[in-house]
Amino acid sequence: MNWRQRLGAFIGGFDAGQHHRRLRGFQATRAHVNALIAASGPDITARARWLARNNGYAVNAIESWAANTVGDGIKPISKLANAAQKEELQRLWLAWTDEADAEGLTDFYGLQRRAAREVFLAGEVFVRIRPRRVEDRLTVPLQLQMLPSEMMPLHETGVARNGNAIRQGIEFDRIGRRVAYHFFRRHPGDSTDPGLSGEIVRVPASEVIHVIDPVEGGQLRGVSKLAPAIVKLFLLDQYDDAELDRKKVAAMYAMFVTSPAPENPLAPLDDEELPAGLEISPGQIVRLDPGEDVTVGQPADSGATYEPFQYRTLLQISAALGIPYPYLANDMVKGNFSNSRLALIEFRRRVSAWQHSVMVYQLCRPVYARWLDLAVLSGAMTLPGYEADRPRMLAADWLPTKWDWVDPLKDANAEIAQIEAGLKSRTQAIAERGYDAEQVDREVAAERARERALGLDFRRPGSPAQGVQANPIETEHESQTTDPNTETGSPKREND
């Protein structure tokens, strides 16, 4: 025990800093997270991927995270003041999203979902920006290539030829800025593509987007969100396998017949001689020689402890992953409506923070900026004064998919009440649903015009959208109002 520990034991203070009996085996490392990732990162990622392929709870958590963070996509709404330019830009962006994937397997919003999945699974993902030639006939000459974490080696550390420092595959200049990334040309674990195996290529940082959710200051590479739950997920899987095997053995029903003498007709035949290691199957009748007996072990039943143990273990896994228990286990029985709603509110606050601080800031904005630059340079989009006023023209609101509640009617009524009370604008309400208010207004106006032309009206009687004079019952009632100054009670006329 050094002098600091002796002094701490003498003066007391924080129990968490003492070295008494209760904490004698608690030896926490003082190594930085980068050193820990360098030592254990590849094993953590490999185990997380194994669980994602083989463990139902793990894959359910990953898919739930991706579906809630991205959904149908986090979409941009340009803030250009010119309505015609804004409409043209939105149309061009929508057309390009179908061409965004360099592999041609999904669109830009599908890449967002894959990125969210990879960040949850491996802690990080890399997106390489791929400018294309005009002859490639793309809407905008730009595509994106997604690279998994394993494509950049953690052991690539040293000094580059230009004197820059390379740390865990990332090259830094002398003032600490990222200037390049060092990738494998081929995935080190893909034996189906052996060409150029182990060769490393340097890619400028301007062509790479590193999506990562760091948990500590100075962290360079990502850590799987499954890391705190890997041990429990694996051991719980083993426990379930053991329970299944025990149930399988207990479900075996075999009948053993012992013959009193060899000449008895029930004696085993020559072709039914049993091997030294007796194996039985369900419903099997086994004949034994005289004097032989079989003792079958009776494994203890798990009884009423299995379900509570599973539930508590899954709650710990749920807390470690930050995924609500119903989303992790697909168990909607436990908990009432109020408790479920509170859990979803907390979960969605976390998701919203991650959407804007990670997905939008690190991936969506850089891609949008590069896309608009190339759209203007290639002539696909005309924006006068773009170079001088680029920041303003790049401004956009990124709108995630709206979450639906269990009782949407109550939420809709509450939202209408907030709008009518002036607590929320229609623009804000529409934006929260993931749509552009101006586009929605144009569509509504076009529908109203078409309804009038065809003599249709699908609006609910008395709704604010119909206006004061749109209700024929009220109009007829008002026209029949009597003049209080007349005795006959005849309908009041305008000339009166």
Side-chain angles (χ1 to χ4, degrees):
M1 181 181 295
N2 58 34
W3 66 272
R4 289 188 180 88
Q5 295 174 351
R6 290 196 298 268
L7 180 60
F10 177 74
I11 64 175
F14 294 105
D15 279 349
Q18 302 304 309
H19 295 267
H20 43 58
R21 177 183 55 80
R22 289 186 296 168
L23 298 178
R24 188 170 300 160
F26 193 167
Q27 300 296 331
T29 179
R30 289 175 170 80
H32 189 268
V33 65
N34 290 332
L36 301 178
I37 293 174
S40 307
D43 290 334
I44 294 175
T45 302
R47 288 170 176 171
R49 292 196 186 278
W50 185 92
L51 288 171
R53 299 184 187 111
N54 297 278
N55 185 281
Y57 295 124
V59 69
N60 206 41
I62 295 168
E63 295 301 334
S64 176
W65 175 260
N68 280 276
T69 53
V70 174
D72 298 332
I74 304 176
K75 302 174 183 179
I77 299 298
S78 173
K79 301 179 77 171
L80 285 174
N82 188 305
Q85 289 180 344
K86 176 180 178 179
E87 186 174 359
E88 181 185 359
L89 186 147
Q90 295 292 147
R91 177 194 59 78
L92 186 66
W93 169 264
L94 183 61
W96 174 79
T97 55
D98 290 338
E99 306 169 346
D101 185 11
E103 298 177 354
L105 299 177
T106 185
D107 61 359
F108 177 66
Y109 303 117
L111 289 175
Q112 289 182 352
R113 178 182 173 277
R114 288 175 60 189
R117 194 178 187 277
E118 279 290 310
V119 172
F120 191 94
L121 185 59
E124 62 183 354
V125 70
F126 300 92
V127 177
R128 184 169 181 182
I129 299 175
R130 292 285 196 177
R132 301 304 190 191
R133 297 183 296 270
V134 177
E135 51 266 30
D136 291 329
R137 298 183 180 279
L138 298 174
T139 305
V140 174
L142 174 69
Q143 287 187 314
L144 306 174
Q145 179 187 9
M146 189 161 291
L147 303 175
S149 173
E150 292 87 345
M151 290 290 288
M152 195 166 76
L154 281 166
H155 61 77
E156 188 69 11
T157 299
V159 180
R161 294 181 180 179
N162 56 9
N164 289 337
I166 302 176
R167 300 175 60 192
Q168 297 183 347
I170 307 173
E171 183 178 331
F172 297 88
D173 63 12
R174 287 172 173 78
I175 60 174
R177 294 177 301 186
R178 299 188 179 203
V179 295
Y181 294 87
H182 295 253
F183 291 101
F184 285 120
R185 281 193 180 274
R186 298 290 184 270
H187 194 292
D190 189 357
S191 60
T192 65
D193 189 9
L196 304 174
S197 178
E199 183 177 348
I200 294 179
V201 61
R202 181 181 184 271
V203 181
S206 59
E207 305 300 314
V208 177
I209 298 174
H210 185 194
V211 184
I212 178 177
D213 186 11
V215 296
E216 296 187 27
Q219 182 176 336
L220 301 178
R221 301 291 299 270
V223 180
S224 172
K225 286 185 177 293
L226 286 168
I230 283 178
V231 175
K232 286 191 179 294
L233 280 169
F234 181 69
L235 295 179
L236 183 62
D237 214 7
Q238 287 186 318
Y239 168 69
D240 267 342
D241 287 344
E243 280 291 325
L244 288 173
D245 286 339
R246 187 190 61 77
K247 287 290 187 182
K248 178 181 176 182
V249 173
M252 291 286 187
Y253 180 81
M255 181 184 298
F256 296 92
V257 179
T258 303
S259 302
E263 55 272 13
N264 190 290
L266 293 179
L269 302 177
D270 293 339
D271 57 353
E272 294 182 359
E273 293 292 339
L274 296 176
L278 178 63
E279 293 185 2
I280 61 174
S281 60
Q284 181 179 2
I285 299 177
V286 181
R287 298 174 181 175
L288 302 178
D289 289 331
E292 292 184 337
D293 194 9
V294 175
T295 301
V296 181
Q298 297 295 330
D301 192 6
S302 56
T305 62
Y306 177 79
E307 184 72 19
F309 175 77
Q310 282 270 0
Y311 177 61
R312 284 298 165 186
T313 304
L314 288 173
L315 280 181
Q316 295 176 26
I317 295 173
S318 170
L321 299 179
I323 302 292
Y325 170 80
Y327 287 7
L328 174 68
N330 274 350
D331 182 1
M332 308 302 172
V333 177
K334 300 182 184 300
N336 54 34
F337 176 80
S338 299
N339 291 339
S340 299
R341 190 178 177 95
L342 288 174
L344 289 181
I345 290 174
E346 172 64 22
F347 176 61
R348 289 173 177 180
R349 285 186 184 276
R350 295 185 183 186
V351 167
S352 179
W354 191 90
Q355 286 172 334
H356 293 283
S357 63
V358 178
M359 184 61 71
V360 171
Y361 185 81
Q362 295 183 15
L363 178 64
C364 297
R365 288 182 183 175
V367 168
Y368 185 75
R370 191 65 173 267
W371 171 83
L372 193 53
D373 289 345
L374 288 176
V376 173
L377 290 173
S378 65
M381 180 79 187
T382 302
L383 289 176
Y386 176 75
E387 184 177 356
D389 204 9
R390 181 174 178 268
R392 183 183 64 82
M393 294 186 177
L394 280 176
D397 292 324
W398 289 88
L399 308 179
T401 303
K402 184 182 185 299
W403 286 305
D404 293 321
W405 292 105
V406 180
D407 193 345
L409 180 60
K410 290 183 179 179
D411 291 286
N413 290 334
E415 196 166 50
I416 292 173
Q418 290 176 357
I419 294 173
E420 292 177 347
L423 301 176
K424 176 189 288 188
S425 66
R426 283 186 62 255
T427 301
Q428 180 184 354
I430 294 173
E432 290 174 353
R433 295 175 178 268
Y435 299 104
D436 180 14
E438 295 181 7
Q439 180 181 356
V440 171
D441 289 344
R442 287 194 297 268
E443 293 176 358
V444 170
E447 285 188 356
R448 296 290 181 264
R450 187 169 66 250
E451 289 175 8
R452 287 194 298 270
L454 298 175
L456 303 173
D457 191 353
F458 299 106
R459 294 164 292 181
R460 179 167 52 88
S463 68
Q466 283 194 321
V468 178
Q469 298 179 356
N471 193 328
I473 298 178
E474 291 182 2
T475 304
E476 182 180 358
H477 176 72
E478 290 175 1
S479 65
Q480 298 294 330
T481 303
T482 57
D483 188 351
N485 297 324
T486 63
E487 297 179 359
T488 59
S490 59
K492 180 180 179 181
R493 292 175 297 184
E494 187 175 353
N495 293 336
D496 294 339

